[in-house]
């Protein structure tokens, strides 16, 4: 009996410690864990509702547009404008700027896409503005430009010793080059853009027909639009 009493007295503090730890964890969970999780849940629900409302709104707009069949740009006859431009052969000089900064993965694709634009070669200047800090990458970009120069494309490879203004600064300094003074239109593609070959034929005639227009922003799509992350964040509408 005496041994049993001693054994019981030794186990009791252990049970009290376990119970105290459990109570303490319950208090911490109630006061520190549950409130942030509740707030996060409310935020997620609110964002989900907003995205659902936006999706419904855009769906309604798309349906109405398809039903009414009204598009603002249909008042301009693109084929007639292109035919008139080809007959008169008064192609405006176009400058295409590509600002770059250590674009190892995409520089070939972007330069290749721009240099493949269907436009008279003597009326097109491709300006590659390379602010890369990697000397090896600069050499690769310059070699890519020289490759297209040998194919008859007027490519200007420009670099700077500083990054003042970052890409916007590079664009500004690119416009100060002497050969740019003859250009009537300026097109800007970021380093990861891959324009369609007919981009200039679909945009420049509209600008020629409408001298009141000073700027046009074109639509683009993502190359990885259907990956899980990009589809969740930037899901394109039909």
């Amino acid at each position: 009996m005496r041994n049993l009493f001693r054994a019981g007295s030794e186990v009791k503090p252990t049970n009290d410690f376990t119970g105290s730890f459990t109570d303490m964890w319950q208090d911490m969970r109630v006061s520190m864990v549950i409130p942030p999780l509740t707030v996060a849940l409310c935020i997620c629900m609110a964002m989900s509702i907003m995205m659902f409302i936006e999706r419904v709104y855009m769906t309604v707009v798309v349906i109405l547009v398809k039903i009414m069949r009204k598009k603002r740009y249909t008042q301009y006859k693109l084929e007639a404008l292109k035919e008139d431009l080809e007959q008169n052969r008064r192609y405006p000089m176009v400058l295409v700027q590509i600002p770059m900064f250590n674009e190892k993965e995409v520089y070939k694709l972007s330069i290749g896409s721009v240099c493949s634009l269907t436009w008279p070669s003597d009326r097109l200047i491709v300006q590659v503005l390379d602010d890369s800090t990697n000397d090896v990458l600069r050499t690769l970009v310059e070699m890519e430009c020289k490759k297209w120069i040998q194919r008859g494309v007027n490519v200007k490879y420009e670099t700077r010793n500083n990054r003042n203004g970052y890409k916007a600064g590079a664009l500004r300094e690119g416009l100060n080059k002497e050969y740019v003074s003859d250009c009537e239109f300026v097109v800007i593609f970021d380093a990861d853009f891959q324009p369609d070959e007919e981009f200039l034929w679909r945009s420049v005639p509209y600008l020629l027909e409408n001298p009141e227009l000073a700027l046009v922003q074109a639509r683009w799509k993502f190359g990885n639009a259907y990956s899980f992350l990009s589809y969740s964040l930037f899901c394109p509408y039909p």
Side-chain angles (χ1 to χ4, degrees):
M1 293 295 293
R2 185 177 299 175
N3 292 336
L4 290 174
F5 177 78
R6 289 179 179 177
S9 62
E10 291 176 358
V11 172
K12 186 176 181 179
T14 303
N15 291 336
D16 292 340
F17 174 77
T18 303
S20 300
F21 179 78
T22 303
D23 294 339
M24 182 176 62
W25 167 245
Q26 291 288 347
D27 294 339
M28 289 178 61
R29 187 175 65 175
V30 172
S31 60
M32 299 179 61
V33 178
I34 294 179
L37 289 178
T38 303
V39 173
L41 179 62
C42 293
I43 293 175
C44 291
M45 292 180 62
M47 293 180 64
S48 299
I49 293 173
M50 292 172 60
M51 292 181 64
F52 175 76
I53 294 174
E54 183 184 12
R55 181 63 64 85
V56 172
Y57 169 76
M58 293 302 300
T59 302
V60 172
V61 171
V62 171
I63 292 174
L64 291 177
V65 169
K66 289 184 177 181
I67 293 176
M68 298 176 66
R69 297 185 180 276
K70 287 186 177 181
K71 296 183 179 180
R72 186 176 182 83
Y73 59 82
T74 54
Q75 59 181 309
Y76 305 114
K77 298 180 179 179
L78 179 59
E79 295 301 326
L81 295 174
K82 291 170 60 176
E83 184 178 354
D84 181 67
L85 187 61
E86 291 178 344
Q87 288 179 353
N88 296 329
R89 303 192 65 82
R90 295 179 180 176
Y91 303 104
M93 181 71 77
V94 178
L95 172 70
V96 181
Q97 293 184 305
I98 315 175
M100 292 192 172
F101 176 69
N102 294 336
E103 312 288 351
K104 180 180 179 181
E105 292 80 9
V106 297
Y107 76 92
K108 281 189 177 182
L109 291 174
S110 59
I111 295 176
S113 297
V114 172
C115 291
S116 299
L117 291 172
T118 54
W119 196 254
S121 58
D122 60 331
R123 309 301 293 171
L124 177 67
I125 300 177
V126 177
Q127 192 179 62
V128 179
L129 306 167
D130 190 11
D131 278 355
S132 300
T133 55
N134 188 317
D135 293 335
V136 175
L137 186 56
R138 276 197 176 192
T139 302
L140 293 175
V141 175
E142 186 176 8
M143 290 175 60
E144 185 69 16
C145 293
K146 289 181 178 179
K147 181 182 75 174
W148 286 99
I149 291 175
Q150 293 175 355
R151 297 181 181 181
V153 183
N154 188 3
V155 182
K156 304 292 184 181
Y157 178 71
E158 305 289 351
T159 60
R160 303 188 297 170
N161 296 324
N162 58 75
R163 291 204 64 218
N164 295 337
Y166 302 102
K167 286 188 176 182
L171 293 170
R172 182 180 63 250
E173 292 192 20
L175 292 176
N176 293 329
K177 301 299 180 180
E178 184 177 355
Y179 56 82
V180 175
S181 59
D182 296 331
C183 297
E184 299 179 48
F185 295 97
V186 178
V187 183
I188 301 174
F189 295 117
D190 202 359
D192 56 348
F193 279 25
Q194 300 172 38
D196 185 80
E197 293 183 357
E198 296 291 323
F199 178 86
L200 295 179
W201 280 109
R202 294 177 180 177
S203 55
V204 173
Y206 292 133
L207 295 171
L208 290 173
E209 185 72 13
N210 298 273
E212 305 86 6
L213 295 179
L215 175 67
V216 173
Q217 181 176 357
R219 177 183 179 183
W220 69 86
K221 59 183 179 180
F222 298 95
N224 61 343
Y226 296 101
S227 67
F228 175 76
L229 182 60
S230 64
Y231 188 82
S232 300
L233 297 179
F234 309 105
C235 182
Y237 297 104

